[in-house]
Structures are given as C-alpha cells and as structure tokens.
C-alpha cells in the first residue's frame, strides 16, 4: 500500500469539531467498499491512468491527434473537461483544455506554447506520430522548458493497428530527453505525475513511453490528491526559447552537461530497482516486460534458484546499476518490448566477456509483442500447453469495412471508372479505407504514411504514369495531405485526388475531424484547385453511374482535380445515437 | 486463487461490456482484476479478444499464459476454437454461442466447427441468440452466455446481477431488466 498524499485535503479547524453528522445517512461497510472501489482505487486502462495523472498533476493544456493505441488519453481528458465543468471531477478546481489537433506536429507545438505560457502541458500520440512531430520534439529538448511538458508516446509492437513497430525510446535518447516507461496502469498514473515535476525541475521535456498492452489493459489504480494548476507565467528569459545558432549552441552544451546528473538520477531512481539476490542469471526488464517476467518469476526461483534483477522504468540507462548487476552475475537476459534498446546500450556500457542474451541473440523474438510464454521460453522453463483444435485450422478473420460503409461505394465507383485503362495507379493512405486493399475491393496499391497518397500519386504522375489517383480520408487530408496538394497545384500535376469525406476520424473510433465537411471545398478552392475540377458527390451506390462518369471525366483532365466523396461514417452515426 | 477468462468473438458483439460486468462483480467481492482489450483496426468486423484475470493477488501479466485459462467465453463458435491453446487442458471449460458469424469466404463448414467443439472435454454450447429472444431481447445474447458461465466462475450470481444493474442503469430500467432476464435464462440453461 502506498502512503496517501494528503497535501491537497482541506484542513479541519478546531471550530469544526465535533462535526455535526446528525443529518447524514448511516454509512454501511458496503457503501464504504463501493466508495473505495469507485473513487480511490478504480480500474483504469493505462491510457486513462495517464490522463488522470496529468489532471491530478495540475494540467493546463493537452493536445493530440488520434492514433491507436494512444487515442483514449485525449478521449479521457475531454471527458474530464466536461466533468470538471460540472464540478464532478474530485478535487480539480481549475478548468483545463484538451484539444484534438490537425496532426501530431501541430499538437506538439500547441503544447510547447502552453508550456511557454507557464502551464503544465501534455501532448500524446502514437509512435509514428512522433515522426511527424520529430521536428518540434527534438528541438524542444534545447529549450528551457517553462510549464512542465510531458510527451506521451504509445508504441505498437506487434503492429495491431500500425504500419511499423518503431521504439520511441530511441527518439528520446536521440533528443537527450529523459523517458519513463510504466509497467502497469498504477505506474502510468504515478509516473505521469512525476514526469511533470521532473520536467519543471530539469527544465526539459519528458517522455512517457507506453506500449499497446499497457495502453489498453485495466487494473486497479490508487490515486492521490490533485494539485492546483499554476498561473500564467511566461519564461523569465526568452532567449532560451529562441533557437538561433548562438543560443542553440549554448543550450545544446547545457543539455549535454545535464546528462551525468540524469544518469545518476537513473541509477538511484526508485523506478529502477536492483536486486542482487542471485549470482548466476541476471535479468533486466523494462516497462511492461516486468509483468511477463513476474508471471514466471516464482516458478523460476523454485526450479532454478534466486535470480538477480534490475528493472528499468526510467531512462537514461542506469549505468551504475547495470555494472553492478553485470559484475554480480554470470550471464544477463534482457527482456524488453520493442527494439533491443537496452540490450544494445548494454553492450556499450559493460566490458565484453559475459554472455548477454535478448533479441539480438534470439532468446527473445526480435519482432512482435512479448507474452508470458515467450518470456517463459527465454528463461528455459517448460512450455505450457492448452488444448488444440483437432482437424480444423481456424482461418483468420481479417478486419473489414462495416456493412454499408460509404468507402465501399467509393471504391466501387473508382474501380469502374478505371477499368478501361490498361495502366493506372491508385495510391492510398492511413485510415479505414486502407481496408480497400483486401478482397472484395482490391482497389489500392500503396499505403505508407499519413498524407503520402497525394505526394506519391503526384510523384508517379510527374514522371509520366497516368492516370494516377490518390485516395485519402478527410481527417488524413487535413493531417498532412494538404501540403502535398499544394505541390500538385503548383506544378499543375496531372492527377486526381479522391477525398473520402465521412466527416470523422473513423478508424480510431470516430473522433471529430479538425474542420467540418463544409470547410473542405473552400479549402480546396483556396489553395488553387480549379473550381471546375472540384467535384463534391455523394458516396452511395444509388448514385453509382453518375459518380463513375464524374470520376472518369476528372481522370481525363489535364492538371490536378479533386473528387470529394461525401457520406457520414456509420460508426460515427452509431456513436452519436448512443450519446 | 486465480481464474483466467478468455473472452472472444467478432468486432461489435459486445465483448467489452461482458468483460466490464464480470470485472466489476469480481471486484465487489474483493478480488483483484486485470483486463486486456484490443482496440483499433481489428474492431472492424475482425476477431476480437479480451483477457480477464481474476485473482486474490494482483495478477502480474495483463495477458493470460497458454494453457492457463479456466474459461473461454465465446460469442461465436469458430472464435472459441481459435483460443483453445490458452485453455487449461484438464479443467478449462468452453462456454460458447453456436451461431456462426460467417463474414469471410474462408469460414469452414459449420458441422466441422461444431464437431470440434462437441469433442471438447468440458463445454457448454448454447444458442445464445435464441435464448436471448425468448428472454425478450435479441441483443442480450452476451448476457445469456455470462449466465451460462455463472456457476463456473468464483463470483456470486447476485454480484453479477448488481454489476449488470450498474452498467446498464444509464440506459433505463427496460434495458436493465432485459439483460437481467437474459442472464437468468442463461443460468437456467446450465443449471
């Protein structure tokens, strides 16, 4: 049990004593256990725990673009904004803001500005979102952060809903930004609170890196009293915010100079506990991987004896603790989710000689998520077996577009419009419509990153491939398709952009698009697409013939054209009906 | 004491609300709970899986180790087969709905799926949708399954009923009653 932080509780004055309780109903044990279950110790997803931790740390502003598995952080914050306004968010006296943004870069920059204003600020995103926000992220490490700035990045090992499984710890290291990696929702809550304190103490951004299973697994979280939000207070010295070369050189020198202190902090941090009980095998776990190790630890100890263990929940690497562990043991096993980050660093920290096992040596698989069974195998414990299907081999059930989804009708029209061309290219983007790659549609030929459809179609068209079509959703278009369209207008590229406008960010659970459908046409006109070649049509099979004819005409047009295919997302409709 | 449950089905079948009901009921009885869900792309008509771990000590891993689940609670027969490797080979029980959801061309013949399920040592197979219709709410097939599994789980049925009331309270008394009735019919189906 952790000690309760009573700092935010009102003092009970002598005058108030004895309290008059005559009008209150009796509190039964049952009521009390209900209250305990609901208030102080709720089960929460990792994402929800981070949101609550931020609010309890005195959050002023939070900013994000939706992306699995990070989406629920902002969704929860927005729910908290409502509850706070109704006076139903316990102990949180000050209003705060929580906003969806056009993309991760704009979200990051908003958070940076909010920190400039002196408020505790958070930006959250999925791992590939940090690529989009890499410019402000890496440069913000050189700024003297004012209001605490916490960057939450949710990695997706196993690629449940992503195009890669990059490990954000490398980017934290690259930017020389300290990083927390929680093991469970409780740590997610506690670390979020601490990350704000640390950010203000060292005047630098602080990252919290989570992975899918932590983001979306629930367990009990004990919370402590909320802190009050700070006042608006600009930085005392703004030259540390002006990254012109002379300032940047000075700041980089200072940031590098701070690293030994962070190093020392890491080795003494309670998030990085070291136990030197055993002397044969030493295990290093990081973040969630600790849970998979713990699942097997008792059995290992019973079968093979005590084990030395270093857990890492805070980076930079706790080098002193690592050396102690290495010196005390015959061999080391590194268990971490994502890339072999600790494992590689380790080889640079300790003198060669002893065996270091992990992803690079194959004891732990290089790819995908960890599981209790994979860790079991790496520990040399006997495999567990359940039942097996006797004759059948259950075929996979790939995700698919909802019945009646407007994207299906859009792809139907596009495919027919293209069928008379012996050669064509359809480059698509990230969203539900990526499922157009699968049967029965088989309608798209590329999906790489947010906004790439228009850029790739433009590049292919520029070197002579025609007709070339980009297929992109409205939210992805605003995220980073727009700047590619500006290139197309500038170069008068022969290409057609199909914007599948369902007025929502569908794949992540129907968050509102940053601008409503009605703004799309003026935006297209505004960047200079010829008004005769902006066609707004209804994506419905009843309009199939008409839609095919319109797309065909635009495919033949010399220069950029945009066909906006409009119909509301069914998931969004369902969600609206529920609310 | 530990009791691991694999909840599975196809996106949109209401697996998450079942997970919440069982978890709340378990917590009300003082058990520690850990749940793991899958969100995002696979929710679009794909296979959906949730792990629910109940224990008197805090469970370590958010996911269930192979061969460890006491119960597979499945809303679709093929999905029940998919997760058999997680089921405890001696004591594990499969509680599954029998109505196939064939939203892909590769779905095997229904008889083959059912004969695999029938050959399992411990199983309760029921037409949850039909029972839910009998109970007066075609959509409450998931609560019929919870009812059918009730006597297997280390939780009192009253606690589950209370959790159903809490979860559906916002949606009005009619929805609460319909779900309670579905739960009751499920219990009768496996009494």
């Amino acid at each position: 049990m952790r000690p309760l932080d009573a700092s935010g509780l009102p003092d009970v004055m002598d005058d108030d004593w004895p309290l008059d309780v005559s009008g209150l109903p009796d509190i039964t044990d049952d009521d009390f256990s209900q209250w305990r279950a609901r208030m102080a110790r709720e089960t929460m997803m990792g994402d929800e725990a981070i949101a609550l931790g931020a609010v309890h740390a005195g959050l002023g502003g939070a900013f994000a673009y939706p992306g699995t598995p990070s989406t629920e952080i902002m969704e929860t914050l927005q729910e908290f904004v409502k509850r706070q306004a109704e006076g139903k968010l316990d102990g949180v006296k000050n209003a705060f803001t929580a906003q969806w943004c056009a993309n991760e870069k704009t979200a990051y920059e908003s958070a940076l500005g909010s920190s400039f204003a002196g408020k505790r600020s958070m930006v959250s995103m999925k791992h590939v979102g940090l690529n989009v926000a890499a410019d402000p992220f890496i440069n913000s490490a050189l700024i003297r952060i004012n209001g605490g700035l916490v960057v939450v990045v949710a990695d997706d090992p196993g690629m449940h809903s992503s195009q890669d499984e990059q490990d954000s710890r490398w980017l934290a290291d690259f930017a020389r930004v300290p990083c927390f990696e929680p093991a469970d929702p409780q740590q997610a809550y506690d670390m979020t609170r601490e990350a704000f304190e640390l950010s203000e103490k060292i005047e630098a951004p602080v990252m919290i890196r989570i992975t899918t299973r932590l983001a979306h697994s629930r367990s009990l979280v004990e919370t402590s009293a909320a802190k009050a939000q700070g006042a608006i207070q600009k930085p005392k010295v703004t030259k540390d915010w002006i990254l012109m070369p002379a300032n940047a050189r000075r700041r980089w020198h200072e940031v590098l100079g701070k690293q030994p202190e962070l190093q020392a902090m890491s080795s003494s941090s309670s998030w990085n506990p070291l136990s030197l009980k055993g002397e044969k095998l030493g295990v290093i776990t990081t973040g969630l991987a600790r849970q998979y190790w713990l699942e097997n630890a008792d059995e290992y100890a019973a079968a093979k004896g005590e084990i030395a263990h270093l857990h890492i929940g805070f980076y930079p690497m706790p080098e002193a603790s690592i050396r102690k562990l290495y010196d005390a043991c015959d061999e080391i096993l590194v268990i971490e989710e994502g890339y072999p980050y600790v494992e590689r660093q380790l080889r640079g920290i300790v003198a060669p000689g002893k065996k270091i096992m992990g992803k690079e040596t194959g004891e732990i698989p290089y790819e995908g998520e960890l599981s209790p069974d994979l860790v079991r195998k790496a520990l040399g414990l006997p495999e567990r077996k359940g039942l097996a299907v006797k004759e059948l081999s259950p075929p996979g059930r790939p995700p698919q577009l909802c019945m009646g989804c407007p994207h299906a009708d859009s792809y139907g029209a596009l495919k027919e419009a293209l069928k008379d061309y012996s050669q064509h290219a359809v480059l698509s983007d990230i969203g539900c419509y990526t499922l157009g790659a699968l049967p029965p549609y088989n309608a798209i030929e590329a999906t790489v990153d947010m906004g790439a459809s228009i850029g790739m179609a433009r590049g292919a068209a520029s070197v002579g491939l025609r007709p070339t079509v980009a297929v992109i959703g409205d939210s992805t278009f605003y995220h980073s398709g727009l700047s590619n369209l500006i290139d197309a207008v500038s170069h008068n590229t022969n290409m057609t952009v199909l914007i599948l406008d369902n007025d929502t960010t569908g794949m992540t659970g129907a968050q509102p698009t940053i601008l409503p459908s009605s703004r799309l046409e003026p935006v297209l006109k505004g960047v200079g697409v010829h008004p005769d070649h902006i066609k707004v049509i209804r994506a419905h099979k009843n309009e199939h013939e008409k839609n095919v004819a319109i797309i065909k005409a635009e495919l033949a047009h010399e220069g950029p054209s945009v066909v906006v295919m409009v119909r509301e997302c069914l998931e969004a409709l369902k969600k609206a009906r529920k609310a | 004491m530990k009791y691991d449950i694999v909840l599975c089905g196809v996106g949109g079948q209401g697996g998450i609300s079942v997970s919440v009901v069982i978890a709340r009921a378990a917590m009300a009885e003082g058990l520690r709970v850990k749940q793991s869900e899958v969100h995002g792309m696979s929710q679009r008509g794909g296979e959906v899986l949730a792990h629910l771990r109940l224990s008197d000590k805090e469970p370590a891993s958010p996911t269930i180790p192979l061969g460890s689940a006491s119960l597979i609670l499945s809303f679709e027969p093929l999905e029940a087969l998919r997760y058999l490797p997680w089921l405890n080979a001696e004591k594990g029980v499969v509680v599954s709905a029998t109505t196939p959801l064939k939203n892909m061309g590769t779905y095997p013949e229904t008889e083959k799926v059912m004969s695999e399920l029938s050959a399992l040592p411990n199983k309760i197979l029921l037409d949850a949708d039909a029972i839910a219709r009998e109970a007066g709410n075609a959509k409450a097939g998931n609560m019929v399954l919870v009812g059918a599994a009730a006597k297997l789980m280390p939780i009192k049925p009253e606690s589950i009923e209370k959790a159903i009331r809490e979860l559906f309270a916002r949606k009005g008394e009619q929805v609460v009653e319909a779900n309670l009735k579905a739960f009751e019919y499920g219990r009768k189906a496996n009494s």
Side-chain angles (χ1 to χ4, degrees):
Chain A
M1 193 77 162
R2 68 194 56 248
L4 281 173
D5 174 5
S7 56
L9 297 175
D11 289 329
V12 177
M13 310 298 286
D14 282 346
D15 290 350
D16 299 336
W17 204 259
L19 290 168
D20 179 11
V21 292
S22 53
L24 295 174
D26 286 335
I27 296 172
T28 64
D29 281 351
D30 194 34
D31 287 335
F32 186 69
S33 68
Q34 286 268 330
W35 176 82
R36 287 283 297 169
R38 281 206 207 119
M39 306 298 293
R41 303 163 65 216
E42 251 184 293
T43 64
M44 283 177 220
M45 282 198 289
D47 278 353
E48 294 167 335
I50 287 171
L52 190 59
V55 171
H56 283 175
L59 180 76
F63 307 88
Y65 182 82
T68 314
S70 72
T71 312
E72 292 83 357
I73 299 171
M74 178 54 68
E75 287 188 322
T76 307
L77 284 169
Q78 293 189 338
E79 179 60 32
F80 287 163
V81 166
K82 274 190 234 158
R83 278 199 225 165
Q84 197 280 333
E86 294 165 358
K88 289 180 190 159
L89 195 60
D90 270 349
V92 180
K93 295 191 188 82
N94 311 97
F96 52 94
T97 189
Q99 302 174 357
W100 290 121
C101 300
N103 62 42
E104 293 84 355
K105 179 176 185 287
T106 67
Y108 199 105
E109 288 154 353
S110 295
L112 206 48
S114 162
S115 162
F116 181 89
K119 294 285 186 174
R120 290 196 161 179
S121 311
M122 186 160 85
V123 56
S124 54
M125 63 196 78
K126 68 184 294 174
H127 57 342
V128 286
L130 188 57
N131 300 339
V132 177
D135 199 1
F137 171 62
I138 289 160
N139 291 312
S140 68
L142 270 65
I143 278 165
R144 191 183 294 280
I145 286 301
N146 190 27
L149 177 62
V150 173
V151 186
V152 186
V153 191
D155 292 355
D156 189 16
M159 299 180 240
H160 290 279
S161 270
S162 307
Q163 68 269 47
D164 73 32
E165 55 178 13
Q166 67 188 63
D167 187 327
S168 301
R169 294 175 300 169
W170 291 98
L171 274 113
D173 188 2
F174 188 82
R176 298 292 191 272
V177 161
C179 174
F180 287 95
E181 191 186 3
D184 58 20
Q186 180 70 61
Q187 285 200 350
Y189 173 85
D190 294 333
M191 284 179 172
T192 303
R193 294 192 67 147
E194 192 171 317
F196 281 102
E197 302 291 334
L198 179 66
S199 172
E200 286 176 4
K201 184 174 166 226
I202 63 170
E203 302 174 303
V206 173
M207 183 189 281
I208 297 174
R209 183 248 186 182
I210 58 173
T211 54
T212 306
R213 287 292 164 187
L214 178 77
H216 293 161
S217 68
R218 291 172 198 274
S219 55
L220 278 177
V221 174
E222 290 181 23
T223 62
S224 40
K227 275 192 70 151
Q229 198 183 119
I232 293 276
Q233 188 160 31
K234 279 174 51 176
K236 287 181 196 83
V237 191
T238 55
K239 71 175 181 189
D240 290 342
W241 283 73
I242 304 170
L243 290 182
M244 54 204 296
N247 288 340
R249 278 193 288 268
R250 179 174 49 78
R251 284 296 300 154
W252 181 229
H253 184 75
E254 286 166 6
V255 168
L256 291 176
K258 228 178 327 190
Q259 297 305 308
E261 182 197 339
L262 288 170
Q263 269 292 330
M265 200 185 280
S266 180
S267 277
S268 62
S269 168
S270 62
W271 301 117
N272 297 342
L274 171 67
S275 150
L276 294 174
K277 274 189 202 150
E279 51 197 31
K280 195 176 174 306
L281 180 65
V283 166
I284 300 178
T285 56
T286 82
L288 180 64
R290 184 190 74 172
Q291 304 307 111
Y292 300 133
W293 147 248
L294 284 175
E295 188 72 30
N296 295 295
D298 287 348
E299 202 180 324
Y300 186 93
K304 308 193 181 191
E306 293 284 6
I307 206 162
H309 178 214
L310 170 64
H311 178 72
I312 303 178
F314 177 73
Y315 306 85
M317 294 276 282
E319 292 187 5
S321 300
I322 285 171
R323 286 199 190 91
K324 277 186 205 157
L325 180 79
Y326 186 80
D327 291 344
C329 300
D330 297 340
E331 50 187 26
I332 304 282
L333 172 67
V334 185
I335 312 172
E336 57 191 321
E337 266 216 314
Y339 288 7
Y341 172 78
V342 166
E343 189 181 343
R344 280 212 181 162
Q345 303 273 317
L346 198 59
R347 294 178 204 281
I349 293 170
V350 294
K354 294 179 183 174
K355 195 171 167 192
I356 297 172
M357 298 172 286
K359 287 169 179 266
E360 303 234 296
T361 47
E363 284 79 6
I364 304 270
Y366 213 107
E367 302 151 63
E369 264 190 307
L370 287 179
S371 71
D373 300 292
L374 290 172
V375 169
R376 208 177 157 75
K377 196 173 164 209
L379 290 167
L381 291 171
E383 196 183 341
R384 282 197 173 116
K385 274 201 172 128
L387 289 175
V389 193
K390 294 207 171 60
E391 282 164 29
L392 277 179
S393 145
R397 197 187 289 265
Q400 47 191 265
L401 294 174
C402 305
M403 286 277 261
C405 174
H407 298 335
D409 296 336
S410 297
Y411 279 132
L414 175 64
K415 282 195 82 168
E416 191 165 337
L418 284 166
K419 78 172 187 322
D420 295 335
Y421 290 99
S422 60
Q423 179 179 263
H424 55 71
V426 180
L427 293 320
S428 188
D429 228 294
I430 312 272
C432 284
Y433 48 91
T434 311
L435 297 171
L438 305 176
Y441 315 104
N442 302 314
I444 63 169
E445 299 166 292
T447 295
V448 183
D449 66 272
M450 294 286 285
S453 60
I454 302 180
M456 288 177 68
R458 210 192 76 72
S462 296
V463 295
L465 179 54
R466 281 199 77 184
T468 309
V469 182
V471 181
I472 187 168
D474 53 324
S475 187
T476 307
F477 176 74
Y478 284 123
H479 178 285
S480 47
L482 182 60
S483 40
N484 274 317
L485 184 65
I486 292 169
D487 285 353
V489 170
S490 166
H491 294 278
N492 200 35
T493 311
N494 295 326
M495 62 181 287
T496 301
V497 179
L498 234 62
I499 301 182
L500 307 185
D501 179 10
N502 58 3
D503 204 16
T504 197
T505 314
M507 180 61 88
T508 47
Q511 292 75 31
T513 302
I514 198 73
L515 288 177
S517 269
S518 58
R519 297 295 307 152
L520 198 48
E521 204 178 332
V523 165
L524 297 170
K525 281 185 184 150
V527 298
V529 181
H530 194 288
D532 292 349
H533 297 285
I534 300 171
K535 296 286 191 313
V536 181
I537 59 181
R538 189 159 176 271
H540 197 285
K541 56 178 189 294
N542 292 348
E543 321 242 340
H544 180 74
E545 301 306 325
K546 202 178 98 194
N547 291 351
V548 171
I550 288 170
I551 297 171
K552 264 188 172 170
E554 295 310 325
L555 292 176
H557 167 62
E558 299 283 326
S561 58
V562 181
V563 180
V564 184
M565 304 199 71
V566 187
R567 185 148 68 85
E568 199 173 12
C569 168
L570 300 174
E571 192 69 20
L573 273 177
K574 238 195 293 178
K575 199 173 164 186
R577 223 175 282 149
K578 263 189 198 166
Chain B
M1 197 288 299
K2 73 176 184 70
Y3 195 86
D4 290 341
I5 308 172
V6 172
L7 287 158
C8 51
V10 179
Q13 283 189 320
I16 296 204
S17 56
V18 165
S19 179
V20 172
V21 162
I22 300 174
R24 281 203 187 177
M27 281 169 61
E29 294 195 10
L31 293 176
R32 306 289 284 202
V33 169
K34 209 154 214 174
Q35 281 167 277
S36 177
E37 300 157 12
V38 175
H39 296 214
M41 191 173 222
S42 53
Q43 281 179 306
R44 302 273 169 271
E47 58 219 44
V48 164
L49 170 68
H51 284 185
L52 180 54
R53 312 195 72 188
L54 317 178
S55 173
D56 46 12
K57 285 189 310 213
E58 179 82 16
S61 164
T63 53
I64 299 169
L66 291 172
S68 302
S70 302
L71 175 65
I72 290 180
L73 196 61
S74 180
F75 307 108
E76 206 278 348
L78 181 68
E79 296 308 314
L81 294 178
R82 194 186 305 285
Y83 302 105
L84 286 181
W86 276 264
L87 193 67
N88 183 289
E90 290 85 42
K91 294 180 199 150
V93 184
V94 171
V95 175
S96 177
T98 50
T99 312
L101 208 158
K102 301 186 175 187
N103 64 350
M104 76 283 201
T106 49
Y107 199 101
E109 287 168 42
T110 309
E111 296 75 51
K112 286 193 178 158
V113 173
M114 292 317 294
S115 87
E116 290 275 3
L117 279 174
S118 304
L120 294 174
N122 309 310
K123 75 275 172 184
I124 297 156
L125 308 176
L126 66 171
D127 190 343
D129 291 340
I131 297 173
R133 274 195 299 276
E134 248 174 73
N137 183 353
K139 282 187 189 162
N142 52 4
M143 288 306 152
V144 171
L145 287 167
V146 178
K151 71 173 184 190
L152 305 168
M153 295 188 285
I155 312 169
K156 292 195 225 69
E158 300 78 52
S159 303
I160 297 177
E161 284 170 352
K162 202 170 167 205
I164 291 175
R165 280 183 197 284
E166 278 176 17
L167 182 70
F168 293 105
R170 248 171 10 122
K171 297 184 175 173
E173 191 55 27
Q174 215 179 334
V175 178
V176 171
E177 288 307 321
N179 279 285
L180 285 174
K181 212 168 158 195
F183 175 69
E184 197 49 49
Y185 274 51
R187 281 182 70 191
K188 277 188 206 145
N190 179 31
S191 56

